[in-house]
Structures are given as C-alpha cells and as structure tokens.
Amino acid sequence: LRSERERQDLVSPVQERVRTSPSEKKNPGFGRDFRVQQEFTKRAIKRLGSLVLIKISGRMSSSAKFDFVVFDWKGTLEPKLGTKKLKEDAGITAVLSALQIDRKTLEQALNEARESLKTEVVTKVDLMNKALLRLQVGEQTRSKALAAFREGHNSIPSKGGLYEGATELLDKLQEHKIPIALVRNSTLPAEDFQNHVIECGAGKYFDINRNVVMSGVIGAAKPHRKIFEAAVLKCGMVALQNSHPERILYIGNETDVDIVGGNAMGWKTVLIRFTETSSGGTASYEVDNYNDILKLIFKTRQ
C-alpha cells in the first residue's frame, strides 16, 4: 500500500469488526488473524485494483493452470508401503505410463496371473509378463512395457524415498516459480518431521518454518477447515484464496480426509490413486501417477 496511514485506514475497522463478531466472542483465538487478513485483502483489492493481488500473491504463472499447489505427505508424496512393495508399485506405474491403461485393469490382470500360478515361484517380471499376456498385449509392446517395469522397479533405492515422478513435479513447480505447501495429519514433533523430509530428499522443497502445516501443531486435523486456513495464512495464500481459490490445487490420496477438506476451501482437488481406487466423483481430478499431474498443471490455458 502507498502509506502506513492508508493501511491503518483499511485494517482498523476490520480488526474492530472481527473482535466484536459473535463468532470471535464464542471462539476467540486462531481465526482472528486469518479473518483480519482475509477482510483486509478484500478491501485492499477493491480499493487499489488487481495490482494489489499480484503484489501480495507474487508472480502468477502464465503457463500453468494453477497458481499454488498444496500436497499431502504420507501416501501422496511418501509411500505408506515398505520398500519391496514400493519398488513393485514403481514398476507398475511405469507400465501404466507405457501402455496408457488404467491401474484397475492391470492390477486385476496381475491378480489373475497370481491365481493361475498358485504355488509356482516366478520373478516379478515373469508375473508382469503373464498379466500382459492376459491383456493380449502384443509382443513388441509387451517387451517395451517389461523394460519400463524393470526401470521403474530399479529406480527406487532400497532405503525408500518419494513416489516416482514426485521429484520431477516439484522441480518443475520450482522452475516455474509456482509456490507449494504441505498439509499433514501428524503428531510427530516438527523437528523430527523436518529431518525425515530431508532424509527422503525433499528438504529443498519443504521447510517446517515456511510452508509445512501439521495437525499436531495446529490442534486440528484434516478435513477440518482450521488446518487448511492455517496453511492459507502461513504460506501466503490469503489473496489468492479470497479472489480465485479454484486456482489452488490440492493433491492427496484419501477422499474423506484430503479431497473433502480441499473441496470445502473451494480448491481444485486431485486424488492420486496410490491407496484408493476412486473418490466416487468427489475429487476434481483422479490420476494414477505424477506424470498425469504434471500434464494437468502445465496444460495450456484456454
């Protein structure tokens, strides 16, 4: 704003309005700062025009469909699975990408192949080959799919890490200066979680003091609105939330926790189907891997 006096002219009546509101008298505390900033931003935008939105929100990307991306952690960025299962899942994801088929169809073929083999011991590659034969995949295409399976399987280090494709997406978001945040249900001490994020190779993307919000710190868990509002306030999303909440994208793996909470904020939501097969139409989008999310975010605007 042009002067401190102008700022006070705008914010003082807002502070008074919030302090005397019935909801603030009933539940004083957390919501006050969020509501003051929210109302203040609305008034500032109305008085000074859209340039204020750009000033507060930072650079808006002209090549991306969304201006802010928020992630869940466990089961979304970091697998809930053990290393053995994680490697198999990475191989399956690679096959899905190579063949452009849905996960449910491939997993059904894999289950049928396991059932037909019964007690016979085969390698993961042999099992995948039998599943692809059941889907009547041609020899040349099948050979490429199996190569993709091996590559995906071997891409996961034995100590684990993020899902395949997650790092590429995070790098792309940073490259395009699209802000990111992380909202997690966890009572783990903040410092311990930060150390874990670093061990998983995500320390350069997420910092507990800058863009990470945890339920144990906030005192509310997803899908409660309070934890999402805390993320809006902490991560500088107030202006965008007030003007274009649909340009905030939330990515999660659980419908009842992630998708429901994100939808309630007016955000667009993505169910990444690592642990659930469908949101039943609740999510704005449903995808099988991070490559699909990359295409979604950087789709050319109409």
Side-chain angles (χ1 to χ4, degrees):
L1 298 178
R2 288 188 286 266
S3 69
E4 179 61 23
R5 180 175 179 178
E6 185 174 42
R7 180 186 180 280
Q8 287 301 322
D9 287 344
L10 281 168
V11 79
S12 295
V14 177
Q15 290 174 325
E16 178 64 20
R17 177 179 168 185
V18 169
R19 189 175 69 252
T20 58
S21 69
S23 60
E24 181 62 24
K25 289 179 179 179
K26 184 177 180 181
N27 296 300
F30 171 80
R32 186 180 305 151
D33 289 341
F34 176 79
R35 289 194 293 276
V36 168
Q37 286 205 27
Q38 185 180 52
E39 187 66 26
F40 168 57
T41 305
K42 285 180 180 178
R43 290 187 178 209
I45 290 172
K46 184 176 181 180
R47 176 176 291 191
L48 300 177
S50 59
L51 286 177
V52 173
L53 174 61
I54 297 173
K55 182 74 173 177
I56 296 173
S57 296
R59 176 184 177 274
M60 297 296 187
S61 171
S62 60
S63 61
K65 192 174 180 179
F66 301 97
D67 296 316
F68 213 115
V69 180
V70 185
F71 294 85
D72 170 49
W73 177 257
K74 201 70 171 178
T76 297
L77 285 169
E78 182 195 23
K80 292 184 176 180
L81 313 171
T83 302
K84 182 178 179 181
K85 182 64 177 172
L86 173 58
K87 292 172 79 69
E88 180 182 356
D89 188 70
I92 290 174
T93 300
V95 172
L96 292 172
S97 180
L99 297 182
Q100 296 298 303
I101 60 175
D102 65 275
R103 180 176 290 267
K104 186 175 181 180
T105 298
L106 181 57
E107 288 184 344
Q108 182 177 344
L110 283 167
N111 289 334
E112 291 173 355
R114 289 190 190 96
E115 182 63 25
S116 68
L117 292 167
K118 295 187 178 179
T119 58
E120 184 181 347
V121 178
V122 297
T123 67
K124 297 293 185 183
V125 175
D126 288 337
L127 180 65
M128 178 60 72
N129 185 52
K130 289 184 179 296
L132 296 178
L133 284 170
R134 284 181 168 273
L135 294 175
Q136 299 181 338
V137 177
E139 183 177 352
Q140 187 174 359
T141 304
R142 193 168 70 252
S143 177
K144 291 180 180 180
L146 291 174
F149 178 80
R150 292 188 188 92
E151 184 177 352
H153 187 276
N154 295 332
S155 69
I156 302 299
S158 30
K159 68 177 182 179
L162 303 184
Y163 271 113
E164 182 185 12
T167 299
E168 288 77 6
L169 174 61
L170 292 167
D171 283 340
K172 188 79 169 178
L173 292 170
Q174 280 195 341
E175 177 187 338
H176 285 259
K177 295 181 171 54
I178 298 175
I180 60 173
L182 191 153
V183 178
R184 186 189 182 193
N185 281 352
S186 174
T187 56
L188 192 69
E191 185 178 348
D192 291 351
F193 179 61
Q194 184 64 54
N195 290 335
H196 181 66
V197 168
I198 294 170
E199 289 172 359
C200 288
K204 69 176 182 177
Y205 310 113
F206 300 109
D207 186 321
I208 195 71
N209 295 313
R210 178 174 54 86
N211 63 347
V212 176
V213 175
M214 299 174 66
S215 62
V217 176
I218 299 302
K222 297 180 291 183
H224 198 287
R225 187 178 180 89
K226 182 177 178 179
I227 191 170
F228 291 98
E229 289 184 345
V232 168
L233 193 59
K234 181 175 184 177
C235 303
M237 291 187 277
V238 175
L240 189 59
Q241 176 69 32
N242 288 339
S243 58
H244 295 288
E246 76 283 356
R247 294 194 60 77
I248 300 173
L249 184 68
Y250 184 81
I251 303 169
N253 68 299
E254 296 183 27
T255 302
D256 292 343
V257 173
D258 298 311
I259 305 306
V260 169
N263 285 349
M265 294 294 291
W267 302 349
K268 293 296 183 182
T269 52
V270 175
L271 177 72
I272 190 160
R273 294 182 290 219
F274 289 150
T275 60
E276 292 184 10
T277 58
S278 173
S279 71
T282 303
S284 308
Y285 312 95
E286 295 187 13
V287 300
D288 290 314
N289 54 64
Y290 274 104
N291 186 49
D292 290 343
I293 296 179
L294 195 64
K295 293 176 183 177
L296 170 66
I297 293 175
F298 293 98
K299 181 178 179 181
T300 303
R301 288 183 185 176
Q302 300 298 318

